[in-house]
Amino acid sequence: GQQVMQIPQYQHVQEGEDFTTYCNSSTTLSNIQWYKQRPGGHPVFLIQLVKSGEVKKQKRLTFQFGEAKKNSSLHITATQTTDVGTYFCAGRPGNNRKLIWGLGTSLAVNP
Amino acid sequence: EAGVTQSPTHLIKTRGQQATLRCSPISGHTSVYWYQQALGLGLQFLLWYDEGEERNRGNFPPRFSGRQFPNYSSELNVNALELEDSALYLCASTSGKLRVRFVEQFFGPGTRLTVL
C-alpha cells in the first residue's frame, strides 16, 4: 500500500547545530504537509508544499518538495531548545483527502 | 474561534471493558479523523468521518468503531479493551469548504486511554 517513510527516527543535537528530517513516499503526492508535536502536546500544522521543487522558509526552518513530488525535507538551521519535539510529514496521494503519515522524527536539543 | 475539543482528557479502564471517546470539531468543519498514538509508533490512522458517513478506516480490528453526529461531532468506541489499546487518541478536523487539495488538519488535545 501507500507509504511515507521518514528518517531518522530520532536525532539528538547540540544547540546551534543544524537538523534535517527526510520523507520519502512510495507514490507521487499532490501535496505534503509538515506538523510539529511538542512533548505532551498534539500535532500542529507547520506548512504545506504543493508544487514540484517548491522551497518554503519559516525563519530558521526550510521545507523542500522534490521535483518528482515523492520526497520532502525539513531543515532547521541553528537549532534551539524550543525546536524540541517530533516532526511529522503527511502526504496526500492524488486528490484523496486522506493523509498518509510518516512515523515522525523526534528531535532532542542539548542546551 | 474554539479549537477541536476532546473528552475525557484521561480515561482508565480494565481489560475487556468498553471505552467511549468524544470529539467536537471546529465550528464549520465537517470532517473528523481519529488517530491512535501509542508510544514510539507515530500516528496510526483509525477512522475518517465526513458529512456523517464513514469514509475510510485504518488497519484496526472491528472492535474499534465510531460515528459522526448531525452536528459533526464524533464518538470513537473501543470494545473488549486490550492492554495494547493504551495510547493517546487524537481527533482532528478539517473544513469541507476548501478545495480538496488544501486541507490542513486541526488536532484536539487528545484522550489518554490507559487499560489496566
Side-chain angles (χ1 to χ4, degrees):
Chain A
Q2 296 158 337
Q3 285 187 320
V4 172
M5 306 300 292
Q6 193 171 353
I7 56 169
Q9 188 175 3
Y10 302 100
Q11 185 85 55
H12 209 137
V13 299
Q14 286 294 128
E15 191 171 21
E17 291 182 339
D18 292 356
F19 158 78
T20 305
T21 172
Y22 301 91
C23 271
N24 292 293
S25 169
S26 57
T27 59
T28 302
L29 304 169
S30 62
N31 62 64
I32 193 161
Q33 298 177 353
W34 286 90
Y35 291 77
K36 177 183 178 181
Q37 184 176 22
R38 294 182 186 276
H42 57 272
V44 174
F45 176 81
L46 292 176
I47 207 161
Q48 177 166 272
L49 304 172
V50 179
K51 299 176 184 175
S52 169
E54 189 170 14
V55 177
K56 286 189 176 180
K57 292 193 175 186
Q58 290 179 350
K59 297 182 180 177
R60 295 177 294 103
L61 277 61
T62 302
F63 303 84
Q64 287 189 301
F65 201 10
E67 294 289 343
K69 301 184 77 174
K70 282 190 167 185
N71 54 66
S72 182
S73 65
L74 158 59
H75 179 83
I76 302 178
T77 304
T79 55
Q80 299 175 358
T81 55
T82 53
D83 296 325
V84 165
T86 301
Y87 293 85
F88 293 96
C89 63
R92 182 170 284 110
N95 273 328
N96 194 330
R97 285 180 74 176
K98 178 183 169 185
L99 285 173
I100 310 296
W101 290 78
L103 289 182
T105 296
S106 292
L107 172 63
V109 179
N110 276 349
Chain B
E1 179 185 82
V4 177
T5 59
Q6 290 187 245
S7 63
T9 306
H10 294 89
L11 190 57
I12 299 175
K13 294 284 186 179
T14 56
R15 202 167 43 181
Q17 285 189 314
Q18 187 239 5
T20 298
L21 288 63
R22 295 179 178 84
C23 171
S24 290
I26 289 173
S27 177
H29 284 192
T30 61
S31 271
V32 170
Y33 299 78
W34 285 97
Y35 295 91
Q36 182 195 66
Q37 189 173 36
L39 203 60
L41 291 181
L43 286 166
Q44 303 295 315
F45 167 71
L46 269 165
L47 289 159
W48 168 25
Y49 292 96
D50 184 49
E51 299 279 356
E53 293 189 15
E54 183 180 302
R55 300 295 184 181
N56 210 332
R57 68 178 291 130
N59 295 327
F60 282 83
R63 56 191 188 83
F64 287 84
S65 65
R67 52 181 173 166
Q68 187 177 34
F69 299 99
N71 66 354
Y72 304 116
S73 67
S74 178
E75 249 179 27
L76 173 68
N77 294 293
V78 188
N79 293 320
L81 284 165
E82 300 178 1
L83 296 178
E84 51 266 34
D85 296 333
S86 294
L88 179 67
Y89 288 83
L90 291 162
C91 167
S93 74
T94 62
S95 170
K97 293 182 180 178
L98 298 175
R99 281 183 291 164
V100 169
R101 292 201 301 158
F102 302 102
V103 184
E104 164 192 348
Q105 294 196 0
F106 295 82
F107 283 83
T111 293
R112 174 74 61 183
L113 173 64
T114 302
V115 182
L116 302 175

